[in-house]
């Protein structure tokens, strides 16, 4: 073989090595970006499941605690009203009975106050509100991270020459997470009436 033939073969081999190296690099980057999109989607899924699991548990906890306090307050208010009626009537026997009826719920109220220097319903409602807000913020951040990962991926596979690799591998654009997806635009319903 003469020198010019060797140079041509060497150039062809060099071009082949460069093309193979470029294809491997492009493929690996495509896989890495596709995995980032998948991981970002998984975070949205995790946060949506967290919201789904968290809200009913928090609502039930607050409802149970508020119900306990509401029962004590209602009993105290009713017994107090009976005592006020008995005092207005002037009947000593009625007043003694009303006073006795006030003692039991008042004792429970004092026990609650001793165990919990500040009654917790207001704090529980505030905690519920904070948890709901935190969960919604986590969902918003996860959605933003996902959309950024999709944007990077979609931009990458649409650029030349990566578009050739993406088409060869059958990789298309990924959809953005829109607010309408999976009812995400609807705030969670919190109902304390049950």
């Amino acid at each position: 073989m003469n020198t010019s033939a060797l140079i041509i073969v060497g150039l062809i081999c060099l071009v082949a090595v460069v093309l193979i190296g470029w294809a491997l690099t492009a493929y690996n980057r495509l896989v890495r970006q596709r995995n980032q999109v998948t991981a970002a989607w998984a975070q949205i899924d995790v946060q949506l499941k967290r919201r789904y699991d968290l809200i009913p548990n928090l609502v039930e906890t607050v409802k149970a605690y508020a119900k306990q306090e509401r029962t004590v307050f209602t009993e105290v208010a009713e017994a107090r009203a009976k005592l006020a009626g008995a005092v207005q009537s002037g009947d000593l026997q009625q007043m003694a009975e009303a006073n006795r009826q006030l003692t039991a719920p008042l004792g429970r109220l004092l026990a609650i106050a001793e165990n919990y220097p500040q009654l917790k319903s207001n704090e529980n409602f505030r905690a519920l509100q904070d948890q709901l807000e935190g969960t919604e913020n986590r969902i918003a951040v996860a959605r933003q991270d996902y959309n950024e990962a999709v944007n990077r991926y979609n931009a990458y596979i649409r650029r030349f020459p990566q578009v050739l690799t993406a088409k060869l591998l059958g990789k298309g654009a990924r959809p953005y997470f829109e607010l309408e997806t999976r009812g995400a635009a609807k705030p969670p319903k919190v109902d304390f009436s049950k």
Side-chain angles (χ1 to χ4, degrees):
M1 267 197 181
N2 64 21
T3 330
S4 61
L6 283 173
I7 292 175
I8 292 175
V9 169
L11 286 175
I12 291 174
C13 288
L14 180 65
V15 168
V17 166
V18 168
L19 286 175
I20 290 171
W22 169 82
L24 290 174
T25 302
Y27 175 78
N28 288 338
R29 186 166 181 202
L30 178 69
V31 168
R32 186 175 53 249
Q33 289 195 358
R34 187 183 65 218
N35 288 343
Q36 287 174 346
V37 170
T38 302
W41 173 254
Q43 280 302 309
I44 290 175
D45 196 45
V46 164
Q47 296 308 325
L48 289 174
K49 286 177 183 173
R50 179 182 189 274
R51 177 173 63 178
Y52 178 80
D53 293 340
L54 176 70
I55 290 172
N57 292 334
L58 285 172
V59 169
E60 289 303 315
T61 299
V62 172
K63 277 172 57 176
Y65 196 90
K67 183 178 179 182
Q68 172 192 1
E69 290 179 12
R70 187 174 34 240
T71 302
V72 171
F73 285 133
T74 302
E75 289 175 6
V76 169
E78 289 172 357
R80 186 172 168 256
K82 286 180 185 177
L83 180 61
V87 168
Q88 279 186 338
S89 74
D91 184 352
L92 197 54
Q93 182 119 8
Q94 246 186 345
M95 288 170 59
E97 179 61 26
N99 188 50
R100 187 189 62 74
Q101 288 179 358
L102 180 59
T103 303
L106 197 54
R108 284 197 299 276
L109 179 61
L110 292 174
I112 288 174
E114 285 175 12
N115 291 330
Y116 307 99
Q118 293 180 326
L119 295 175
K120 307 286 187 187
S121 287
N122 190 28
E123 291 175 22
N124 285 345
F125 283 109
R126 199 170 305 129
L128 173 61
Q129 184 180 9
D130 290 345
Q131 287 291 325
L132 290 175
E133 183 179 316
T135 300
E136 295 305 314
N137 287 340
R138 287 178 183 195
I139 291 170
V141 168
R143 191 182 78 237
Q144 182 179 358
D145 291 347
Y146 171 79
N147 284 342
E148 287 173 4
V150 166
N151 188 41
R152 284 190 305 271
Y153 174 80
N154 288 348
Y156 179 77
I157 66 168
R158 288 183 178 134
R159 281 187 249 145
F160 185 80
Q162 291 86 353
V163 68
L164 301 174
T165 306
K167 285 191 184 218
L168 181 66
L169 297 172
K171 304 299 178 194
R174 299 287 288 265
Y176 289 98
F177 185 82
E178 302 294 334
L179 282 177
E180 292 76 31
T181 305
R182 296 171 120 195
K186 298 174 186 170
K189 184 177 180 183
V190 178
D191 184 8
F192 292 106
S193 64
K194 294 180 184 177

